[in-house]
Amino acid sequence: MKHINYILVALFGLLLTSCQDEYSFPDVELQGDQLNFMVTQADGNDNELILQSMEPDYISYWSYTDTNGSQIGTSNEDSLRVTLPFAGSYNVYYTAYTKGGAVEADPVSVEVSSNDEEYFSDEEWAMLTNGVKGKTWVLDMISPVGWAGLDYPYNESGSDYWNWFPDYAGNEWVMDNKDWGEITFDLDGGYNVEVIQTAINSNSQTTSIGSFNYNIDNHTIRFNGVDVLFGGDYYGDVSNWTSVNVVEISENSLRLAVVRDQSRTGEGVAQIVFHYKPKE
């Protein structure tokens, strides 16, 4: 049985056993191609799916997967609407739970032509990712790294509101001037991110691929499966390289901050702010 949550299957089995008086399923053997249901896309908005079962005597179970084949949602409703914000190919699976067991229809494939413009309407999405096409950022070696208070820049009256963004010409000690790699964001079928990271003491590079979540309201990015691109010998000073603060974002400038704890040396806690520019 494909794409079925086996815990749910067990629960349905208990339901069918213990509630025979409440649920009376027709004692009819069905084939998947005999199930009566519809999967349609809304007129004028193919990002919205309309799922409807016309099998009132059975329990419905829907499962839908994204372009990569990953399950992105399930439901036991007979009728529902599902928003698919990303362009790409999707499969919808419908299963009817009958007295004789589960009957699964063949998957229905749908194509979403473009990303949902309203869902990604905030200009910061375009600044960060350039949408489906993607956008690659590299460390800006004119001012690659700086330091800031923990509440910079979103608490202008806070006692910890301070920053120091050095120019590299006067602060070469901060980090070597070399190719530290690159970070690429795109919205091609999902929240995709790729990081090419150069080693601290050599020019060898590693590549990692993952996903990200961008919270525009509180200006934070959480990386899944990758670390943020960094430069300099700071890795051991930071306990979390996956949850970062967006200190600045524009078409041509991106500053991401991680928390550095140097309490043991008396330097205290601060944000390390890495400055990126679009790759030419």
Side-chain angles (χ1 to χ4, degrees), residues 102-249:
V103 180
E104 184 175 282
D106 289 335
V108 177
S109 297
V110 296
E111 293 288 333
V112 176
S113 60
S114 61
N115 286 357
D116 189 330
E117 293 183 3
E118 182 176 354
Y119 191 87
F120 296 108
S121 60
D122 194 295
E123 62 180 355
E124 291 187 17
W125 285 108
M127 292 175 181
L128 180 67
T129 70
N130 194 29
V132 173
K133 294 181 179 179
K135 189 170 184 177
T136 299
W137 298 87
V138 297
L139 279 171
D140 183 357
M141 296 309 297
I142 295 177
S143 56
V145 66
W147 289 264
L150 295 180
D151 58 2
Y152 176 85
Y154 300 111
N155 183 9
E156 296 184 5
S157 61
S159 60
D160 195 32
Y161 182 87
W162 58 272
N163 73 88
W164 176 53
F165 296 153
D167 64 287
Y168 190 78
N171 298 282
E172 291 88 349
W173 57 270
V174 173
M175 55 195 286
D176 291 340
N177 188 349
K178 69 177 185 179
D179 174 12
W180 286 99
E182 59 190 46
I183 181 170
T184 302
F185 299 92
D186 74 63
L187 299 176
D188 187 6
Y191 303 96
N192 307 308
V193 63
E194 178 182 280
V195 175
I196 300 175
Q197 178 67 61
T198 304
I200 294 172
N201 299 318
S202 73
N203 290 323
S204 64
Q205 294 182 322
T206 57
T207 300
S208 54
I209 297 174
S211 61
F212 72 98
N213 303 100
Y214 183 29
N215 189 320
I216 290 178
D217 293 332
N218 63 14
H219 290 88
T220 58
I221 296 177
R222 180 170 181 83
F223 294 95
N224 307 296
V226 301
D227 285 353
V228 64
L229 174 69
F230 70 95
D233 191 8
Y234 299 111
Y235 199 85
D237 297 343
V238 177
S239 62
N240 188 344
W241 286 94
T242 60
S243 294
V244 305
N245 295 319
V246 181
V247 174
E248 175 192 4
I249 184 169

Side-chain angles (χ1 to χ4, degrees), residues 57-119:
D57 295 323
Y58 307 128
I59 295 176
S60 299
Y61 179 78
W62 304 91
S63 172
Y64 30 100
T65 62
D66 64 11
T67 302
N68 299 317
S70 301
Q71 187 181 79
I72 57 175
T74 62
S75 176
N76 292 117
E77 300 291 332
D78 288 331
S79 179
L80 69 153
R81 289 175 177 258
V82 176
T83 298
L84 304 175
F86 298 107
S89 302
Y90 297 84
N91 281 328
V92 179
Y93 299 83
Y94 174 71
T95 302
Y97 284 89
T98 74
K99 185 176 181 180
V103 180
E104 184 175 282
D106 289 335
V108 177
S109 297
V110 296
E111 293 288 333
V112 176
S113 60
S114 61
N115 286 357
D116 189 330
E117 293 183 3
E118 182 176 354
Y119 191 87

